[in-house]
Amino acid sequence: MMAKVRQDAWSKEDDLLLADTVLRHVREGSTQLQAFEEVGDKLNRTSAACGFRWNAIVRDQYKQAMEIAKKQRKERKRMLSRKKSSPRVEKRAETPGRAKPEPAAADTADAESLTLNDVIAYLTQLNEEQTHSHTMATTKQRLEREKDQLVRENEDLKKQLAKTKREYETVKEDYQSLIQIMDRARKMVVFGDDESKPAFKMDKNGNLERVAK
């Protein structure tokens, strides 16, 4: 027999199986330990792991169902006790010519009432879980929309940054051209002080041309 070493997370189905098994054992007069062992065999987990999961996480979600299961267990014990304490009734029922006695109406009504309450408890629990799942799905959709918007904004910022870089390079080139023009103008001024040297002037394109004296 292989050792039980499963350590992965509990799924929603695992928790439902654990709760259903524990409630069934309680209703039938068994122990929670036996329920943990049964679930452990089905899920390849240790009974201790199942017990810890029940006590730490699952049990609080099934308080109402547990109370109903305990009532059913008491009712079951009461019915079994009645059968044991009334052997003459069962013997008379087997006598030929006599109709077999019907179950007491009160006992049948109680059993049906308890079963209905158990179903209501399960449905209530499932409804709460579905509501929670719907809320989580809605939140997920909202976060995905926000993520898509942020991605678009990030792309826009990247484009704006690239445009700013191009404009910066253009301004830088214009600045270098202006520096060159100013340097040429300065040299023209220096050359203009000496009348023996040729004179120059700057055209509209920033080029120097010789001026006839």
Side-chain angles (χ1 to χ4, degrees), residues 70-83:
K70 291 178 180 179
K71 291 180 181 179
Q72 288 179 312
R73 179 179 61 189
K74 291 181 181 180
E75 183 63 24
R76 185 173 182 271
K77 289 182 179 180
R78 188 181 300 111
M79 293 177 66
L80 291 175
S81 177
R82 289 176 182 174
K83 290 181 179 180

Side-chain angles (χ1 to χ4, degrees), residues 1 20-21 34 62 69-70 73-74 108 125 133 144 148 159 172 175 178 187-188 192 206 212:
M1 183 176 179
D20 182 71
T21 305
Q34 291 175 322
Y62 292 88
K70 291 178 180 179
R73 179 179 61 189
K74 291 181 181 180
T108 303
Q125 180 66 27
S133 299
E144 287 179 349
D148 293 339
K159 293 178 181 179
K172 183 178 179 181
Y175 176 76
L178 179 62
K187 291 180 179 180
M188 288 178 60

Side-chain angles (χ1 to χ4, degrees), residues 24-85:
R24 173 166 52 80
H25 275 263
V26 172
R27 285 195 300 269
E28 295 175 354
S30 181
T31 63
Q32 294 186 19
L33 180 59
Q34 291 175 322
F36 299 152
E37 292 176 351
E38 179 181 336
V39 176
D41 291 337
K42 292 181 179 179
L43 299 181
N44 193 30
R45 299 181 186 272
T46 63
S47 59
C50 296
F52 179 81
R53 180 69 179 181
W54 170 257
N55 292 317
I57 304 296
V58 183
R59 181 177 60 181
D60 289 342
Q61 302 175 9
Y62 292 88
K63 289 182 178 180
Q64 183 179 3
M66 178 61 75
E67 293 299 323
I68 294 173
K70 291 178 180 179
K71 291 180 181 179
Q72 288 179 312
R73 179 179 61 189
K74 291 181 181 180
E75 183 63 24
R76 185 173 182 271
K77 289 182 179 180
R78 188 181 300 111
M79 293 177 66
L80 291 175
S81 177
R82 289 176 182 174
K83 290 181 179 180
K84 290 180 180 180
S85 62

Side-chain angles (χ1 to χ4, degrees), residues 157-174:
L157 289 174
K158 287 182 179 179
K159 293 178 181 179
Q160 184 65 32
L161 178 60
K163 180 180 178 181
T164 302
K165 286 183 177 180
R166 291 193 299 269
E167 292 176 350
Y168 170 76
E169 292 297 329
T170 301
V171 172
K172 183 178 179 181
E173 292 175 358
D174 292 343

Side-chain angles (χ1 to χ4, degrees), residues 12 16 23 61-62 64-65 68 115-131:
K12 183 177 180 180
L16 288 175
L23 292 173
Q61 302 175 9
Y62 292 88
Q64 183 179 3
I68 294 173
T115 303
L116 179 60
N117 288 335
D118 197 8
V119 172
I120 292 175
Y122 273 111
L123 292 177
T124 301
Q125 180 66 27
L126 289 176
N127 181 62
E128 292 176 354
E129 292 176 353
Q130 290 177 354
T131 301

Side-chain angles (χ1 to χ4, degrees), residues 150-208:
L150 290 174
V151 169
R152 290 192 297 269
E153 291 178 354
N154 186 49
E155 292 297 328
D156 292 340
L157 289 174
K158 287 182 179 179
K159 293 178 181 179
Q160 184 65 32
L161 178 60
K163 180 180 178 181
T164 302
K165 286 183 177 180
R166 291 193 299 269
E167 292 176 350
Y168 170 76
E169 292 297 329
T170 301
V171 172
K172 183 178 179 181
E173 292 175 358
D174 292 343
Y175 176 76
Q176 293 294 335
S177 299
L178 179 62
I179 293 298
Q180 293 176 2
I181 293 172
M182 293 178 64
D183 185 61
R184 290 178 182 177
R186 181 182 60 80
K187 291 180 179 180
M188 288 178 60
V189 172
V190 173
F191 293 154
D193 293 341
D194 191 351
E195 296 182 355
S196 62
K197 295 181 180 179
F200 295 88
K201 72 175 182 178
M202 185 184 304
D203 60 14
K204 62 180 180 180
N205 295 322
N207 298 318
L208 296 177

